[in-house]
Amino acid sequence: MLFTVYYLKEGDRIFDRTDLLTFFQANPNITLEQKGTDRHYIYRHPIFQFSAEFILSGKSAVPHLERLNPKYYDVNFRFEFDILLPTYYAELVLDIAEEIAKIFHFCVYNESYEDVVSFRKPMLSKTFEIWKNAYKNKNEDEIAKYSRIDSASLSGVYNFILRKPKLEVLLDKEKVLIPSYFFMRTSKSRTAFICIKWDGNSSFILPPNVDILYYDDSKTKKYIAMSELLSKAEKLFKTIDAYGTLKVIDTKASGKLKKLIYKTRFAPLTVELKEIALKEILDI
């Protein structure tokens, strides 16, 4: 199912389509596909690989156009994306959509609205979440196939993934490990766990929202709940950004952490976990 928002314009339907084309051409992540009389400008995120479409159509597609205030004219232009996108992804699309609305003085309409409204990103984001949760309630069997991480934690994951390339430039990768997330879940629950791996030797960055540390120094392998580890070793982690979301174990502290892990009897996992892909995780 698609979440669709239609553009309309107050007073007339005139806007410069050449300027719109130029806007899309300036974005390297947008490609054009001609489908009959419709032009589909397809946005694909270069890292997360989700997509959204901005569609300039040959005829009106606005449902119940006759019910809307006649001062608003349909410009035969809309954008849409999968109803199951994480809200973080949806807001990245809404950033582009908002810029278009400002440039061309467009208003918007969604089927759940009584009439056309000004483009307000928080309102559209909330509308999307309402639609997504309604879809979840009607399609429980489909949703059950996906794992779940709460929206705030998942947003922290996405932010770190986007920051990681810059961190690799700023920090010496030969001296500081910048781990990648991986994700795990049990067969009896939709809850997914955010994990990182540490080799027991390297200085490393601790990303935000980690649930489980997988320790593997080739001799010893164990999964450790991050909350339990931090309760015993938080003083070894130093904050390295102004927001307090990124912490580091430096070379000196890494040796102390390794000894602590060897000496401490951490609570063993009571369930069997399997690794899953990020694309298999929803925020609902």
Side-chain angles (χ1 to χ4, degrees):
M1 179 178 173
L2 295 173
F3 177 72
T4 305
V5 177
Y6 305 89
Y7 285 116
L8 294 95
K9 189 168 179 285
E10 185 175 356
D12 59 53
R13 57 172 54 88
I14 300 170
F15 71 97
D16 194 322
R17 296 192 175 203
T18 303
D19 285 349
L20 181 63
L21 175 60
T22 300
F23 174 85
F24 286 132
Q25 288 178 333
N27 189 325
N29 302 313
I30 294 178
T31 57
L32 169 63
E33 285 188 16
Q34 188 77 35
K35 299 181 180 179
T37 59
D38 295 349
R39 288 188 170 193
H40 291 242
Y41 296 94
I42 302 172
Y43 169 76
R44 180 170 293 278
H45 195 278
I47 296 176
F48 298 129
Q49 293 299 300
F50 69 87
S51 62
E53 296 193 19
F54 293 82
I55 303 169
L56 194 57
S57 58
K59 59 182 180 180
S60 176
V62 179
H64 312 299
L65 181 61
E66 71 282 356
R67 300 179 188 176
L68 305 182
N69 190 324
K71 73 177 182 178
Y72 297 105
Y73 289 77
D74 184 9
V75 295
N76 298 349
F77 185 37
R78 67 186 187 274
F79 64 91
E80 56 192 27
F81 47 84
D82 194 315
I83 194 66
L84 292 182
L85 282 190
T87 299
Y88 186 96
Y89 291 179
E91 291 189 348
L92 293 179
V93 178
L94 290 176
D95 285 339
I96 299 173
E98 182 177 38
E99 190 173 358
I100 291 171
K102 288 179 178 179
I103 292 172
F104 297 98
H105 307 291
F106 290 151
C107 297
V108 291
Y109 172 71
N110 173 268
E111 284 187 76
S112 59
Y113 299 162
E114 292 184 1
D115 208 342
V116 181
V117 297
S118 300
F119 194 109
R120 296 192 295 275
K121 182 183 172 183
M123 179 180 179
L124 283 167
S125 181
K126 184 65 176 178
T127 301
F128 169 69
E129 290 184 353
I130 291 171
W131 276 64
K132 181 166 59 174
N133 280 289
Y135 183 87
K136 171 190 173 184
N137 293 335
K138 292 180 180 179
N139 299 272
E140 294 177 347
D141 289 345
E142 179 184 356
I143 301 301
K145 298 175 184 177
Y146 291 88
S147 300
R148 180 185 181 276
I149 293 176
D150 70 85
S151 184
S153 296
L154 202 53
S155 292
V157 167
Y158 295 139
N159 279 329
F160 179 75
I161 291 172
L162 291 179
R163 291 181 66 184
K164 190 180 176 188
K166 292 182 179 179
L167 288 172
E168 290 174 342
V169 172
L170 292 172
L171 301 173
D172 186 344
K173 292 190 293 182
E174 299 301 317
K175 295 181 180 180
V176 182
L177 172 67
I178 306 174
S180 296
Y181 288 116
F182 67 98
F183 307 91
M184 304 190 79
R185 64 166 287 184
T186 73
S187 60
K188 296 182 179 180
S189 171
R190 288 186 61 226
T191 300
F193 300 97
I194 305 166
C195 314
I196 60 169
K197 179 180 178 181
W198 183 45
D199 62 11
N201 298 305
S202 305
S203 173
F204 71 97
I205 297 293
L206 175 63
N209 306 116
V210 173
D211 298 310
I212 296 173
L213 174 73
Y214 176 49
Y215 179 84
D216 179 5
D217 64 2
S218 75
K219 294 180 180 179
T220 301
K221 299 180 181 182
K222 62 173 73 176
Y223 292 98
I224 304 169
M226 201 67 222
S227 59
E228 187 178 2
L229 180 61
L230 287 175
S231 71
K232 303 176 186 302
E234 188 167 13
K235 64 182 180 181
L236 298 177
F237 291 84
K238 298 179 180 178
T239 300
I240 63 167
D241 69 346
Y243 307 102
T245 57
L246 295 182
K247 298 181 179 181
V248 66
I249 284 286
D250 60 24
T251 303
K252 183 178 180 181
S254 65
K256 293 180 180 180
L257 183 63
K258 182 173 184 175
K259 289 180 181 178
L260 185 147
I261 289 175
Y262 265 102
K263 292 180 179 179
T264 305
R265 294 177 64 88
F266 293 100
L269 291 180
T270 57
V271 293
E272 184 177 345
L273 297 174
K274 67 173 184 178
E275 191 167 347
I276 56 174
L278 180 58
K279 65 181 180 181
E280 298 176 65
I281 299 172
L282 301 177
D283 58 358
I284 55 172

